[in-house]
Amino acid sequence: MAYYRRNSSADRMARGLGWFSIGLGVAELVAARRLARWMGMEEQAGLIRTYGAREVATGVGLLAMGDARPWMWGRVAGDALDLATLASAHHDGNPRRENVATALGAVAAVTALDVLCTAMLHREEATAWTPPRDYSDRSGLPRPPAAMRGAAKDAPIPADMRTPDILRFEPAEV
């Protein structure tokens, strides 16, 4: 159950990442072979298609479910998997190494957004869980202000709180 505000900045960001996830997932499903060729990973087209299905599922979860946090953690885990897969293809034997580096940079940037959004969602929940202060044991003013006015005029003033004699004003004698 989500304890953060709906339509907060973290919630809007999570939903935006949900739509991004669906778009990226559909692109990976539709153009897996082309993406694999662009990165020099022709033998990994099926894996890219699988990652696309994961992206679509995560995006639907973010948009349809009430609590975005588990789905955001799913995105972060998926990003780690994507980074590991891309890192394995970033070697001198890959003629498309520069394209893999570009993909690595893009996934790293999205990972940073996912981590930021997840942290924001958790922070909002922590704030929402702070119990409100309880002032029920306080009674407020014991009497109305008019009744209390002047109540302490006869109270004794300690010597150290009195105005020193040298500073006291004495009106001139006329």
Side-chain angles (χ1 to χ4, degrees):
M1 183 173 215
Y3 292 102
Y4 52 86
R5 291 178 293 125
R6 294 304 266 170
N7 210 19
S8 66
S9 60
D11 184 60
R12 285 192 311 262
M13 187 176 191
R15 281 189 274 142
L17 287 168
W19 283 113
F20 173 77
S21 188
I22 290 172
L24 179 63
V26 167
E28 287 176 336
L29 285 170
V30 171
R33 192 170 301 230
R34 189 176 299 165
L35 280 169
R37 196 174 325 120
W38 181 74
M39 292 185 290
M41 304 167 59
E42 288 83 3
E43 68 281 355
Q44 303 288 337
L47 185 64
I48 291 174
R49 225 173 259 116
T50 304
Y51 288 176
R54 181 202 70 218
E55 288 283 350
V56 169
T58 307
V60 168
L62 277 170
L63 295 174
M65 303 299 170
D67 190 359
R69 290 171 300 142
W71 297 100
M72 286 306 302
W73 280 114
R75 278 193 53 83
V76 171
D79 292 341
L81 198 59
D82 291 346
L83 288 170
T85 303
L86 289 170
S88 70
H90 192 258
H91 53 80
D92 292 336
N94 186 349
R96 307 280 187 164
R97 184 173 184 218
E98 291 179 15
N99 293 347
V100 173
T102 302
L104 271 169
V107 172
V110 171
T111 302
L113 281 176
D114 288 344
V115 169
L116 174 68
C117 183
T118 305
M120 288 170 63
L121 288 170
H122 280 281
R123 190 174 332 123
E124 276 195 24
E125 185 193 28
T127 305
W129 270 106
T130 303
R133 294 182 187 263
D134 181 19
Y135 296 114
S136 64
D137 61 335
R138 297 185 182 177
S139 62
L141 300 175
R143 292 181 286 172
M148 294 189 294
R149 190 165 293 124
K153 69 181 176 190
D154 298 330
I157 299 174
D160 61 335
M161 293 184 71
R162 292 186 188 145
T163 304
D165 291 338
I166 194 166
L167 297 178
R168 288 192 182 180
F169 175 74
E170 294 181 17
E173 293 180 23
V174 182

